């Protein structure tokens, strides 16, 4: 092999090596561009999934916000099964969102996994929507029933108030009638007089010389009053307001009251003259004396009499 041939072979080998090197470089460059293209596509897909995730997250937050507005109305529900279902679905959504947030790699494999999570997330959020819709419809229905019950209760309460008013009015009327009947049974007296007597039993105008005081009156006929023995009590008050005592006591309006004198007489629903006397045991002073007459728990009369010296 001559020198010229050797040069041709060496030149051909160099050209071949150059071509091989060129081919290798082209192959390497093409592979790098393919990876770059694939990486760019993966990043685009990742951004798309992130956007879907963001939209679903916002939708999930809105569902939670809507649910929380009516959460205090759970008292309307007869059971909390809807709330339990809602909480179970909510936990699944939160778990999927947490998994998506933890995934940091961007490639076709992670994007495929995230896409599957997004599809699951869409399904769980759709479930949440259905539960919340049912929940709100149930609360609205029970709320309307509750409002209806409130109206019924208000109507019954109003009716009870009316009945109570009628009962009160009837009770008042009965009390008035009872009081009228009671007053009708009360004895009536007329001609009440008050006299002082001296030691000879004669009327004495000088009160300081009185040895006895007398109260007289006439009981009017009253067929409504109960007949029988009646205790008539007299109270005589001096000008100084002191009670001339010595008689029995009696009860009126639940209180025990002392009397000056007492006389028992039989009443037969006919006119009855009554005189009650009290013996003077000390010198009396002139002035206005108050005389009161009682019987059957009633004060029958009260008058003032001026006694001179």
């Amino acid at each position: 092999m001559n020198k010229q041939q050797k040069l041709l072979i060496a030149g051909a080998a160099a050209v071949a090596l150059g071509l091989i090197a060129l081919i290798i470089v082209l192959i390497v460059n093409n592979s790098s561009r393919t990876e770059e293209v694939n990486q760019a596509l993966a990043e685009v897909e990742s951004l798309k999934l992130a956007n879907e995730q963001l939209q679903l997250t916002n939708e999930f937050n809105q569902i939670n916000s809507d649910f929380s507005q009516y959460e205090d109305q759970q008292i309307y529900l007869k059971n909390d099964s809807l709330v339990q279902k809602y909480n179970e679905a909510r936990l699944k959504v939160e778990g999927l969102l947490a998994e998506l947030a933890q995934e940091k790699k961007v490639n076709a494999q992670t994007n495929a996994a995230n896409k599957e999570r997004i599809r699951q997330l869409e399904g769980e959020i759709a479930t949440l929507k259905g539960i919340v819709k049912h929940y709100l419809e149930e609360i609205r229905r029970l709320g309307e029933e509750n409002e209806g019950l409130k109206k019924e209760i208000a109507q019954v309460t109003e009716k009870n108030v009316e009945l109570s008013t009628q009962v009160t009015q009837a009770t008042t009327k009965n009390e008035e009638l009872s009081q009228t009947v009671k007053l009708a049974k009360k004895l009536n007296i007329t001609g009440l007089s008050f006299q002082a007597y001296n030691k000879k039993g004669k009327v004495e105008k000088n009160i300081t010389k009185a040895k006895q005081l007398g109260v007289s009156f006439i009981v009017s006929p009253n067929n409504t009053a109960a007949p029988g023995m009646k205790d008539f009590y007299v109270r005589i008050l001096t000008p100084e307001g002191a009670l001339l005592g010595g008689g029995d006591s009696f009860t009126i309006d639940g209180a025990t009251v002392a009397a000056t004198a007492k006389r028992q007489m039989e009443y037969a629903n006919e006119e009855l003259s009554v005189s009650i006397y009290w013996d003077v045991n000390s010198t009396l002073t002139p002035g206005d004396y108050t005389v009161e007459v009682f019987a059957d728990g009633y004060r029958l009369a009260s008058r003032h009499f001026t006694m001179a010296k």
Side-chain angles (χ1 to χ4, degrees):
M1 181 178 297
N2 56 33
K3 185 176 180 181
Q4 186 176 4
Q5 288 177 332
K6 289 181 178 180
L7 289 174
L8 287 173
I9 292 172
V15 171
L17 289 173
L19 289 173
I20 292 172
L22 179 60
I23 292 171
I24 292 173
V25 170
L26 290 174
I27 292 173
V28 170
N29 287 339
N30 186 58
S31 175
S32 176
R33 288 177 181 175
T34 300
E35 289 180 2
E36 290 177 359
V37 170
N38 290 337
Q39 182 66 23
L41 291 174
E43 289 179 358
V44 170
E45 181 67 17
S46 179
L47 289 174
K48 179 182 177 183
L49 293 175
N51 183 58
E52 291 182 15
Q53 177 187 346
L54 179 60
Q55 291 178 359
L56 290 172
T57 300
N58 291 336
E59 192 172 355
F60 173 64
N61 291 335
Q62 184 61 48
I63 293 173
N64 270 331
S65 177
D66 293 342
F67 181 83
S68 63
Q69 291 180 13
Y70 296 91
E71 199 167 6
D72 59 343
Q73 298 186 37
Q74 293 178 19
I75 55 174
Y76 291 133
L77 298 176
K78 296 180 180 178
N79 58 69
D80 59 354
S81 61
L82 285 175
V83 179
Q84 183 177 353
K85 290 179 181 178
Y86 176 85
N87 288 332
E88 291 174 354
R90 178 177 56 80
L91 290 175
K92 290 180 181 180
V93 171
E94 290 175 347
L96 290 170
L97 289 174
E99 290 178 7
L100 287 169
Q102 290 174 357
E103 191 63 68
K104 301 299 182 181
K105 295 179 180 179
V106 178
N107 54 52
Q109 184 178 359
T110 57
N111 282 344
N114 287 344
K115 185 178 294 186
E116 178 60 26
R117 293 191 185 100
I118 291 293
R119 299 291 81 80
Q120 293 178 11
L121 191 58
E122 288 175 343
E124 293 300 334
I125 287 180
T127 299
L128 273 181
K129 284 182 178 179
I131 293 173
V132 171
K133 180 180 179 181
H134 187 192
Y135 177 84
L136 296 182
E137 288 175 350
E138 187 71 4
I139 285 181
R140 189 175 297 108
R141 182 182 66 81
L142 294 174
E144 290 173 354
E145 289 182 2
N146 186 59
E147 287 300 320
L149 289 175
K150 285 182 179 179
K151 290 180 180 178
E152 290 181 10
I153 292 173
Q155 291 173 353
V156 171
T157 301
E158 184 178 356
K159 189 66 177 177
N160 287 339
V161 170
E162 292 177 358
L163 291 174
S164 178
T165 302
Q166 293 175 5
V167 170
T168 301
Q169 291 173 347
T171 302
T172 302
K173 189 66 176 178
N174 288 337
E175 290 176 352
E176 291 174 352
L177 291 173
S178 177
Q179 185 65 21
T180 300
V181 172
K182 188 176 180 182
L183 291 175
K185 293 180 180 180
K186 176 185 174 182
L187 297 176
N188 295 312
I189 64 173
T190 60
L192 178 62
S193 64
F194 177 58
Q195 298 287 345
Y197 300 92
N198 57 29
K199 60 183 179 180
K200 294 181 180 181
K202 302 294 184 179
V203 174
E204 178 61 59
K205 293 183 179 180
N206 187 345
I207 191 64
T208 62
K209 296 179 180 181
K211 296 301 180 180
Q212 193 177 54
L213 299 177
V215 177
S216 299
F217 52 87
I218 297 174
V219 182
S220 302
N222 186 351
N223 292 327
T224 308
M229 298 303 294
K230 302 291 184 182
D231 291 328
F232 295 94
Y233 295 90
V234 170
R235 281 170 53 87
I236 302 174
L237 300 175
T238 66
E240 294 78 21
L243 175 69
L244 298 179
D248 293 337
S249 60
F250 60 95
T251 301
I252 183 170
D253 295 332
T256 300
V257 181
T260 300
K262 165 192 170 183
R263 184 174 180 181
Q264 188 177 72
M265 295 185 70
E266 185 174 2
Y267 178 69
N269 301 108
E270 298 176 351
E271 185 175 281
L272 178 66
S273 296
V274 180
S275 294
I276 304 174
Y277 298 95
W278 180 77
D279 293 331
V280 177
N281 50 26
S282 62
T283 302
L284 299 177
T285 59
D288 289 336
Y289 283 76
T290 301
V291 177
E292 297 177 319
V293 181
F294 298 83
D296 293 338
Y298 293 98
R299 183 167 68 175
L300 306 184
S302 177
R303 280 188 59 186
H304 298 289
F305 296 89
T306 301
M307 307 302 288
K309 181 177 178 182

